[in-house]
C-alpha cells in the first residue's frame, strides 16, 4: 500500500536492526523507548511498576479514563515508586509514557495491541494501547519486575468451541513478571482459566485471601492453594523463582476491598444481560472484553465503573508495595 511504503522509507526497522547489531547493543532495547525517569530508576535499582494502557483506551469510558491513568501514576509517585505506563506510539513501544503520551492513549482512537501486533505497529508506525500480554513483554524487556492491571485476561465462556483464550495467559508462561490483578473478570470462565494457569505452571497466589477473586466480586467457587499476607512474602517468592531459573510470571490475586465490592445479585443480573447482548450482537475476538466492560458500565448506571476504578487503584497500591519490597531485597 502507498502509505505504508512511504512510512517504510522514513523508518526502516530492518536497517535499524542492522545498525544496532553492528553497534554491539542488544537491538530490541533500542527499538523500545524507555523514558529517562524509568531508566534512571532501573539503573539505581529503585522501585518501578509497569502499568498497562488497554484499560485506559478500551476498558474505561472517557473522560474518567484519563483521570484514572493520571491517578494510577500519582498513587505510585506518592509512595516513591516510579510508574511506567506502557503503549506503542507511532510504531515505537514506550516504557514510561509522558503526560502527553498518556493523554493520547486516553483521547485518540487507538488499536488494542497484543504481543503479535508489536512488529506490525513498528513497521507501519501505528499507535496502540497494550494489553497485559504486550505490556508484560515490553516491561520485562526493559527490566521491570512488577506490573499492575485491573483484571487479567483469561479463558472466555464457551472457549471449548470459540477457542477464545486471552494471550495474557500464554505470555505469562514465558515472562518472569509479577502481575497484580483482582483475579480475572467474572465475564470469563474462572475454573478453566485457573486450569490453564496450572497447566502452564504459572503460580497463582492470593494476597490475603485463599479464594480466587472475580474482579468486581471478592469471592468465587475457586479456592487457591496458596496465599500470602505481605508484599515482602511476594518479593521472596520472586527471588526464589529467579534462583530456581523459572521463567513463568506470578499472578497475584488481590481482591477488591470488601466495602468497595459490587453487590453480587446486581452483578449477576447485569452480567447476564451483557453476555446476552454480546451474543446477540455477534461480538467476537479482541472486541469481546472491551464490549462487555463498557456495556456493563452502561447497564449498571456507572456502578461497575466505580468498582473497576477502586480495584485497579488497590492493585496499583499493592504493586507499589511489592516493587519496594523487591528493591529492598537488593
Ligand atoms: N483490566 C481492566 N480493564 C481492562 C483490562 C484489564 O480493569 O480493559 C484489559 C487488559 O489489557 C487485558 C485485556 O489484557 O483487558 C484482556 O483482553 P482479552 O480478553 O481480549 O485478552
Ligand atoms: Mn480473546
Amino acid at each position: 500500500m502507498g502509505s505504508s511504503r512511504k512510512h517504510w522509507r522514513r523508518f526502516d526497522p530492518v536497517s535499524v536492526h542492522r545498525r544496532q547489531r553492528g553497534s554491539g547493543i542488544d537491538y530490541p532495547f533500542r527499538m523500545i523507548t524507555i523514558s529517562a525517569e524509568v531508566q534512571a530508576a532501573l539503573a539505581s535499582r529503585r522501585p518501578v511498576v509497569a502499568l498497562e494502557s488497554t484499560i485506559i483506551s478500551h476498558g474505561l469510558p472517557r473522560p474518567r479514563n484519563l483521570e484514572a491513568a493520571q491517578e494510577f501514576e500519582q498513587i505510585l509517585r506518592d509512595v516513591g515508586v516510579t510508574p511506567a505506563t506502557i503503549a506503542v506510539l507511532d510504531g515505537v513501544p514506550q516504557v514510561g509514557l509522558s503526560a502527553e503520551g498518556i493523554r493520547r492513549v486516553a483521547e485518540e482512537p487507538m488499536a488494542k495491541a497484543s504481543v503479535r501486533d508489536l512488529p506490525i505497529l513498528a513497521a507501519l508506525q501505528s499507535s496502540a494501547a497494550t494489553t497485559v500480554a504486550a505490556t508484560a513483554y515490553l516491561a520485562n524487556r526493559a527490566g521491570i519486575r512488577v506490573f499492575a492491571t485491573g483484571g487479567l485476561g483469561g479463558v472466555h465462556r464457551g472457549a471449548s468451541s470459540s477457542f477464545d483464550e486471552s494471550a495474557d495467559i500464554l505470555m505469562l508462561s514465558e515472562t518472569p513478571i509479577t502481575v497484580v490483578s483482582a483475579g480475572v473478570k467474572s465475564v470469563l470462565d474462572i475454573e478453566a482459566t485457573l486450569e490453564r494457569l496450572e497447566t502452564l505452571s504459572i503460580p497463582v497466589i492470593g494476597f490475603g485471601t485463599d479464594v480466587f477473586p472475580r474482579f468486581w466480586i471478592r469471592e468465587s467457587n475457586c479456592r487457591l492453594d496458596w496465599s500470602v499476607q505481605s508484599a515482602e512474602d511476594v518479593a521472596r517468592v520472586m527471588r526464589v523463582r529467579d534462583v530456581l531459573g523459572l521463567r513463568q510470571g506470578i499472578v497475584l490475586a488481590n481482591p477488591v476491598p470488601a466495602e468497595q465490592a459490587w453487590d453480587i445479585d446486581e452483578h449477576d443480573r447485569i452480567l447476564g444481560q451483557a453476555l446476552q447482548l454480546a451474543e446477540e450482537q455477534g461480538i467476537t475476538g479482541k472486541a469481546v472484553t472491551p464490549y462487555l466492560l463498557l456495556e456493563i458500565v452502561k447497564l449498571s448506571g456507572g456502578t461497575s465503573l466505580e468498582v473497576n476504578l477502586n480495584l485497579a487503584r488497590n492493585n496499583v497500591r499493592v504493586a507499589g508495595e511489592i516493587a519496594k519490597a523487591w528493591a529492598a531485597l537488593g
Side-chain angles (χ1 to χ4, degrees):
M1 271 166 52
S3 70
S4 57
R5 286 192 67 84
K6 191 175 76 209
H7 287 147
W8 193 260
R9 244 176 272 127
R10 271 192 283 144
F11 172 77
D12 181 351
V14 178
S15 76
V16 171
H17 172 170
R18 264 193 227 110
R19 278 203 306 280
Q20 290 173 353
R21 254 204 324 205
S23 70
I25 292 166
D26 185 11
Y27 66 86
F29 281 92
R30 296 282 299 273
M31 309 264 307
I32 298 174
T33 297
I34 305 174
S35 73
E37 185 192 10
V38 172
Q39 276 190 45
L42 289 170
S44 52
R45 300 187 177 280
R46 280 181 278 122
V48 178
V49 167
L51 299 168
E52 54 123 341
S53 47
T54 294
I55 182 173
I56 307 168
S57 64
H58 290 69
L60 299 168
R62 293 183 205 176
R64 298 292 296 278
N65 61 343
L66 177 58
E67 291 165 28
Q70 293 164 339
E71 189 190 344
F72 298 156
E73 291 214 337
Q74 196 58 46
I75 289 171
L76 293 169
R77 291 187 201 285
D78 285 348
V79 293
V81 175
T82 303
T85 306
I86 297 181
V88 180
L89 294 180
D90 309 312
V92 184
Q94 308 281 333
V95 177
L97 283 178
S98 63
E100 169 62 8
I102 288 183
R103 190 202 58 74
R104 285 186 60 188
V105 171
E107 293 179 353
E108 284 179 16
M110 246 181 224
K112 166 183 169 185
S114 194
V115 181
R116 67 173 187 165
D117 304 302
L118 296 174
I120 304 171
L121 292 163
L124 303 183
Q125 286 192 298
S126 296
S127 301
T130 48
T131 61
V132 169
T135 307
Y137 174 78
L138 293 168
N140 181 54
R141 293 308 309 236
I144 301 172
R145 306 301 302 273
V146 185
F147 172 12
T149 182
L152 184 67
V155 180
H156 283 260
R157 296 171 188 227
S160 59
S161 57
S162 70
F163 284 75
D164 191 352
E165 173 184 337
S166 177
D168 292 358
I169 303 281
L170 205 61
M171 199 60 223
L172 283 183
S173 71
E174 53 191 42
T175 309
I177 197 161
T178 297
V179 183
V180 182
S181 73
V184 297
K185 298 168 201 88
S186 50
V187 305
L188 301 173
D189 182 335
I190 316 277
E191 284 87 352
T193 301
L194 286 169
E195 290 294 347
R196 288 290 290 150
L197 289 165
E198 181 180 0
T199 302
L200 292 166
S201 299
I202 301 167
V204 182
I205 306 172
F207 193 66
T209 181
D210 59 1
V211 173
F212 193 61
R214 290 180 292 163
F215 200 61
W216 301 284
I217 303 284
R218 289 172 61 83
E219 304 83 19
S220 71
N221 295 329
C222 303
R223 298 206 85 80
L224 294 171
D225 291 338
W226 300 104
S227 76
V228 295
Q229 302 298 328
S230 71
E232 287 70 26
D233 282 345
V234 179
R236 276 193 291 274
V237 175
M238 291 165 65
R239 169 53 52 85
V240 180
R241 182 264 321 271
D242 285 1
V243 171
L244 290 173
L246 296 168
R247 63 197 167 96
Q248 290 85 4
I250 293 170
V251 171
L252 190 76
N254 182 37
V256 61
E259 64 282 6
Q260 293 170 339
W262 199 1
D263 175 75
I264 295 199
D265 292 336
E266 189 185 332
H267 161 272
D268 290 352
R269 184 168 54 78
I270 285 169
L271 177 61
Q273 291 173 13
L275 289 168
Q276 196 184 330
L277 275 173
E279 194 173 331
E280 284 165 15
Q281 304 283 317
I283 310 291
T284 57
K286 69 182 188 179
V288 171
T289 300
Y291 176 86
L292 288 172
L293 287 178
L294 296 181
E295 205 55 45
I296 290 169
V297 171
K298 282 191 236 159
L299 292 168
S300 68
T303 302
S304 72
L305 172 60
E306 300 311 322
V307 182
N308 192 347
L309 288 170
N310 281 329
L311 66 84
R313 291 179 182 114
N314 190 44
N315 293 339
V316 172
R317 264 190 297 272
V318 168
E321 287 172 29
I322 296 168
K324 288 174 103 168
W326 175 252
L329 280 186

